[in-house]
Amino acid sequence: MEFKECIIESFKIIEKSTNCEQLEDWEKELKNKLDKKNFIDIKKYPRIAFRFNDEDLDYFRDESNQELASLIGSSNDLKLTPREKLMLSMLWKNGDLGKEKHIINGLLNKDHEKSKKTGQIFHQFGRKLKSPDKEPIIDQHILRAFKYYQNTSNTGEYAYSEHFSKQNSKAISDYKDWITENVLANKPNPEDYLYYTDRILFGIGKYLKPYLKK
């Protein structure tokens, strides 16, 4: 099976599967077909088990709790645990301070500012954390896989003009519609279906990346 047919078959299996075991088995097959190095390493990205409760959301509604940079610049009197200090240091080192604002807006179901070209992926991640049984994870690889399927299904060709290094509002909207209509509808364990769908499409999209460069 060529990779094009393999990818189209993946979407059909996701849509028609009746239990998560079918998705898990198909992911194992894909790892052999498309190289397992393209798929999520669950040791590096374990499944998120914690939830944000109402008390957590109330905490972030206070804008003074929405920025982490101020914690790093504070005096040592601030009561941070060793683990919190380590996590803040990692965010600082990776240049990720400030991105938490987009996640918080997603958690609080605030609309993403369309004028901003960045932050859409983090905003959607916040929505995912708030509603893991309804919202998918979205990143460049998942969008690439979806757009490939969308275009090959409709026209037989891939739209090479799509630039996936920039967040694409329409692609995200189309993907979420597909998830709602074709993946979550009538599924007994929607959170589990989303989990395996995220993993499968991430691997497909990462596999496709070098093939779709101009």
Side-chain angles (χ1 to χ4, degrees):
M1 184 185 295
E2 295 183 3
F3 78 80
K4 177 179 176 180
E5 286 74 22
C6 184
I7 292 168
I8 293 175
E9 181 67 14
S10 296
F11 279 85
K12 290 180 179 179
I13 289 175
I14 290 171
E15 292 179 353
K16 296 179 180 179
S17 61
T18 57
N19 59 69
C20 292
E21 287 74 16
Q22 292 172 329
L23 297 183
E24 190 173 12
D25 289 343
W26 180 245
E27 183 189 27
K28 291 177 183 177
E29 284 193 47
L30 284 177
K31 286 180 178 179
N32 292 326
K33 297 174 185 293
L34 306 182
D35 196 337
K36 64 180 181 180
K37 72 180 182 181
N38 292 307
F39 289 80
I40 291 174
D41 182 349
I42 59 174
K43 291 182 179 179
K44 186 176 181 180
Y45 294 101
R47 187 171 182 176
I48 296 174
F50 59 78
R51 299 288 182 269
F52 285 86
N53 56 36
D54 291 339
E55 185 177 349
D56 297 330
L57 300 181
D58 286 339
Y59 175 85
F60 286 120
R61 288 188 179 96
D62 182 345
E63 292 190 4
S64 65
N65 295 324
Q66 293 186 9
E67 292 187 8
L68 297 178
S70 59
L71 297 179
I72 290 181
S74 298
S75 67
N76 292 329
D77 294 332
L78 197 64
K79 294 181 179 180
L80 295 174
T81 67
R83 184 173 294 182
E84 288 171 336
K85 292 176 183 178
L86 177 62
M87 293 175 70
L88 285 169
S89 298
M90 290 176 64
L91 288 172
W92 180 89
K93 183 66 174 67
N94 289 330
D96 287 334
L97 288 171
K99 294 178 181 178
E100 70 275 2
K101 179 71 174 179
H102 302 300
I103 297 176
I104 291 170
N105 284 341
L107 277 169
L108 299 179
N109 285 326
K110 292 183 177 180
D111 291 335
H112 179 70
E113 297 181 42
K114 294 182 178 180
S115 60
K116 294 186 176 180
K117 295 182 179 180
T118 61
Q120 234 172 332
I121 300 302
F122 286 95
H123 181 270
Q124 175 59 29
F125 184 53
R127 295 178 68 90
K128 169 68 175 180
L129 293 173
K130 173 67 167 56
S131 304
D133 60 334
K134 298 177 181 177
E135 296 285 349
I137 287 177
I138 292 176
D139 69 2
Q140 60 163 315
H141 300 306
I142 289 174
L143 287 182
R144 186 182 299 109
F146 176 69
K147 290 295 288 182
Y148 181 89
Y149 169 70
Q150 192 178 49
N151 283 284
T152 53
S153 296
N154 294 336
T155 68
E157 297 180 358
Y158 179 76
Y160 283 89
S161 61
E162 190 65 64
H163 186 29
F164 285 99
S165 64
K166 295 181 179 180
Q167 283 78 10
N168 186 307
S169 296
K170 187 177 187 308
I172 291 175
S173 178
D174 288 348
Y175 177 64
K176 291 178 69 173
D177 287 344
W178 176 79
I179 285 288
T180 300
E181 296 169 8
N182 298 292
V183 179
L184 297 182
N186 302 315
K187 293 294 194 296
N189 300 301
E191 185 176 343
D192 291 337
Y193 273 88
L194 280 174
Y195 174 66
Y196 286 105
T197 298
D198 291 339
R199 282 169 42 163
I200 289 171
L201 297 189
F202 178 94
I204 290 173
K206 191 172 180 181
Y207 172 84
L208 282 171
K209 187 173 183 177
Y211 293 98
L212 301 181
K213 289 181 179 179
K214 292 183 179 180

